[in-house]
Amino acid sequence: MKQLKGRDLLGTADLNPQEITDILQLARQLKNQELEIKCNLVLGLLFYKASTRTRVSFSVAMYKLGGQVIDLNPSVTQVGRGEPIEDTARVLDRYLDILAIRTFAQADLETFANYAEIPVINALTDLEHPCQILADLMTVQECCGSLQGHTLTYLGDGNNMAHSLLLGGALTGLNVRIAAPKGYEPQPEIVKQAKEIAGDQSEIIVTQDAIAAVEGAQVVYTDVWASMGQEDSADQRIPIFQPYQVNQQLLAHADPEAIVLHCLPAHRGEEITAEAIESERSRVWDQAENRMHAQQALMASLLGLV
Ligand code: CP
Ligand code: NVA
């Protein structure tokens, strides 16, 4: 996987299908403790938004690789006092070996990557969440045996998760259906890009019809109705998104063996019922665990350790 050495991961489509396959295979080997990779490198975490899973899974993944982690919380660094990204990026580049950033604008992430030579990883922006998608694809593979020929239906906001699922599915032959209310669809450019990547290998569908979208799906996926930064519109979104709630009634339309995924954090009673997330179909805890294995494999690849 030497071709990944030194690269950034700013969006899901920065990886080609073979690279995704290789990272997922490495993640499985690491999870099964079939190999050990060791380094003495330093990961920086620069998070402008809250995080439990991404922060902890990246940290533990780096500790398992033998490296160290520095938490560069904007509130305790000069970043929060307005030091330009261009300056921060060039300085961090001299200290760190790899940097994961969670921020709002994709353009800010790109500026960091342009000014830092070390690998820069998108740990979530308003546009995409590619690390989550690696774990999601790994979980679908584990549960369904393969990605090709299976269908994942995502219900809810056409947000960062919807975008990365569209691209990740298109790259790996997983059919992706997005059911979102009018006015909350994924960005048309991302849908177009996903359709171009998918070609005739997989089906990419965006619809407002939640029931039709779930029909026969092997994976039913949802995310919060109001993402970080959209808290002010949370209440007004509730009635609009209600028909897209993942509940037992909706799940009755899916494949009888369908699994339920959620990137978490979940709001029970909103995008998913307590019954659905606690049901035997739910694989959300395996999915959360896989963040750690997938990111360990990703970092090992970008650092040239494999
Ligand atoms: N799924 C996910 O990225 O969770 P956190 O916001 O807790 O990192
Ligand atoms: N769409 C959510 C994902 C959280 C992991 C958000 O951006 O807040």
Side-chain angles (χ1 to χ4, degrees):
M1 266 203 275
K2 290 294 173 204
Q3 78 276 12
L4 280 166
K5 185 178 178 187
R7 297 232 315 252
D8 299 319
L9 179 67
L10 307 184
T12 310
D14 286 352
L15 298 170
N16 67 33
Q18 188 57 51
E19 289 163 351
I20 295 180
T21 302
D22 291 346
I23 290 170
L24 297 185
Q25 189 188 343
L26 180 58
R28 267 196 308 280
Q29 289 172 317
L30 289 164
K31 184 172 185 175
N32 296 335
Q33 298 181 323
E34 288 163 14
L35 86 169
E36 199 179 21
I37 303 168
K38 284 290 170 200
C39 72
N40 184 18
L41 300 170
V42 182
L43 163 72
L45 295 177
L46 181 53
F47 281 26
Y48 295 81
K49 294 176 176 176
S51 169
T52 298
R53 278 144 291 271
T54 310
R55 182 190 300 285
V56 179
S57 58
F58 260 115
S59 301
V60 176
M62 187 43 113
Y63 296 143
K64 283 176 185 278
L65 289 172
Q68 312 277 325
V69 183
I70 304 181
D71 194 344
L72 301 158
N73 188 324
S75 67
V76 295
T77 55
Q78 301 288 6
V79 167
R81 296 179 60 248
E83 183 168 7
I85 291 175
E86 294 84 345
D87 296 1
T88 307
R90 280 176 286 188
V91 171
L92 294 180
D93 179 70
R94 303 289 177 106
Y95 304 141
L96 301 170
D97 299 293
I98 189 163
L99 174 62
I101 300 176
R102 170 168 285 202
T103 190
F104 294 86
Q106 184 76 12
D108 287 347
L109 178 76
E110 285 167 8
T111 306
F112 266 108
N114 285 339
Y115 281 83
E117 305 248 312
I118 55 170
V120 172
I121 299 174
N122 180 347
L124 182 146
T125 60
D126 291 345
L127 188 72
E128 273 222 57
H129 197 3
C131 294
Q132 178 70 51
I133 260 47
L134 291 175
D136 298 344
L137 294 173
M138 184 177 174
T139 312
V140 175
Q141 257 181 352
E142 283 175 352
C143 298
C144 300
S146 66
L147 299 170
Q148 272 114 348
H150 290 103
T151 297
L152 178 150
T153 297
Y154 169 94
L155 297 124
D157 192 18
N159 59 13
N160 43 13
M161 282 310 314
H163 293 157
S164 294
L165 284 167
L166 281 166
L167 296 168
L171 284 159
T172 57
L174 175 69
N175 302 318
V176 180
R177 300 179 193 156
I178 305 283
K182 191 171 164 45
Y184 295 89
E185 296 93 349
Q187 290 185 11
E189 313 82 69
I190 301 272
V191 178
K192 183 166 171 272
Q193 188 187 359
K195 284 186 174 167
E196 281 167 10
I197 294 170
D200 52 16
Q201 297 299 304
S202 64
E203 186 186 61
I204 300 292
I205 292 175
V206 178
T207 175
Q208 289 172 30
D209 189 336
I211 293 175
V214 168
E215 213 66 62
Q218 286 83 29
V219 184
V220 179
Y221 197 121
T222 191
D223 181 20
V224 291
W225 290 341
S227 287
M228 288 181 276
Q230 299 174 330
E231 289 79 6
D232 289 351
S233 65
D235 288 347
Q236 99 193 30
R237 284 169 178 250
I238 291 175
I240 299 170
F241 282 87
Q242 200 59 48
Y244 300 85
Q245 183 189 64
V246 173
N247 53 39
Q248 299 305 92
Q249 237 180 327
L250 191 69
L251 285 171
H253 294 272
D255 185 296
E257 305 285 314
I259 60 165
V260 172
L261 298 182
H262 190 312
C263 56
L264 304 176
H267 293 74
R268 287 167 174 77
E270 292 187 19
E271 75 276 1
I272 192 162
T273 58
E275 205 182 0
I277 199 169
E278 301 294 350
S279 74
E280 59 185 21
R281 289 166 178 251
S282 172
R283 295 290 181 278
V284 300
W285 316 120
D286 294 330
Q287 181 186 9
E289 176 186 333
N290 285 339
R291 296 291 307 276
M292 180 174 68
H293 307 300
Q295 287 155 201
Q296 195 182 348
L298 174 68
M299 287 193 288
S301 306
L302 300 181
L303 289 165
L305 304 173
V306 282

